[in-house]
Amino acid sequence: TYQWEGDDIFALPPAVSRQGAPRTNSLFSEHLYFIMVLVLPIYALFPGAYTLFFLQALGAGLGGIAVFLLTRHVLRHEGAALSLSLAYLLHPSLQWSTLGYFYFGFHPDTFFPPLFLMAVLMALKGRRHWAIGLFILSLTVVETYALAVAAFAACLFVAQKDRPQRVTWAIVAGLAVLWLLVSTQLIIPQFRRGGTPWYFTATNRLGEVIRQPAQFVSAVLDALGRYVLYLFVPLLLTPLAGWPIFLAVIPNALVNLSALAVGYHLPSDPRAWHTSALLPLVFVSAVFGLPKVVGWLKAPGDQRSEERLWRMVPIALMCAALVSNYWLGPLPFGQAVPPARFACDVARANSIREAAALIPDDASLSAASFAGSH
């Protein structure tokens, strides 16, 4: 749960309280969610959990617009742009993370995709200053996503032949690496009173991994299978054709999977907010991979064949997105959700309402996950 220390809504730093933790730490001692500084004025005007959920959903919607604009700029094809943007909004991982996996609530990580996608669009349009500014803003979401920015910029640096473009990507990669080092070695230790980031010292289950490596490998392979199912199948595996951009997915995917070694399973779940670093990379790879797929499928020298494919492929992507949303998504009609998940327990709702009425209006109110999103 997130709260602000002191009476002043603008008091910094914000704090995070974790279940089972006897103390309240600075939010910035966990991760550098500096993007929350921009959320503070909005939260001051409309304080409450619904404000955070609205902003989270707004970020998801803006990501869909960014995918449309990016696809139209790269492919010059309205149908492909529309199908990929709708596939983005229907994507199971995006919807699960926007809903906070039902009970994990709000996470600033979900602001990363729209900022990153708009930064890529600006870079490809040659608007270097806008691109660098948006990339810097995306780095303020959470420090570990600098890996995704650096890897993507490195891939584009290799793939691009245009010198000004390569300069842009070199600057972006350098800034991302610098930010990762400064944040993990200097800034976070300040908020931890000299300690390194928690993920550098989480070794509580490494001994078990060493003793039973087969179980760990099995868990990693199972997580990889879920990643492929959730991230790539809804796009008919087209991101795999986006070479070498697809390689940028690897660093943060490895970070998520490595959490299994310390008993933290959520990052490896494609329904959690940790996919926020992967999702925009997957869609940019799909944008660049789509022409390659059409080229592989068309009949040699047959222009009509290529035109038919450009009409059929967007329709196929839309069908795949709808089917994937039905089988894997979190909406009430989805097959992946128990019917009771959206059922209203009237007795419980009334008891919670009565308990809430006993708490003063100027006090904070939170709920354990059995009662609702915390």
Side-chain angles (χ1 to χ4, degrees), residues 78-129:
E78 295 279 345
L82 181 61
S83 65
L84 278 175
S85 63
L86 292 176
Y88 181 86
L89 296 174
L90 289 168
H91 199 281
S93 292
L94 178 78
Q95 292 190 352
W96 279 102
S97 61
T98 304
L99 287 173
Y101 207 179
F102 284 132
Y103 48 80
F104 282 109
F106 168 82
H107 277 84
D109 307 53
T110 52
F111 293 141
F112 179 78
L115 292 172
F116 179 86
L117 290 165
M118 286 304 299
V120 173
L121 175 63
M122 292 295 105
L124 294 178
K125 283 189 170 185
R127 300 180 182 178
R128 181 185 299 176
H129 294 93

Side-chain angles (χ1 to χ4, degrees), residues 273-351:
W273 59 93
H274 304 84
T275 57
S276 297
L278 307 178
L279 202 58
L281 297 173
V282 167
F283 271 83
V284 175
S285 297
V287 170
F288 283 91
L290 207 55
K292 297 180 182 179
V293 172
V294 171
W296 295 335
L297 295 177
K298 73 174 183 178
D302 188 348
Q303 186 66 30
R304 290 186 177 181
S305 170
E306 183 174 354
E307 293 174 358
R308 284 195 300 270
L309 283 169
W310 275 113
R311 289 195 297 268
M312 293 169 58
V313 168
I315 295 174
L317 284 171
M318 275 306 308
C319 291
L322 289 168
V323 171
S324 299
N325 186 274
Y326 175 71
W327 284 108
L328 303 173
L331 299 183
F333 54 78
Q335 294 301 294
V337 181
R341 177 72 258 182
F342 284 95
C344 179
D345 186 328
V346 177
R348 176 179 289 181
N350 288 335
S351 65

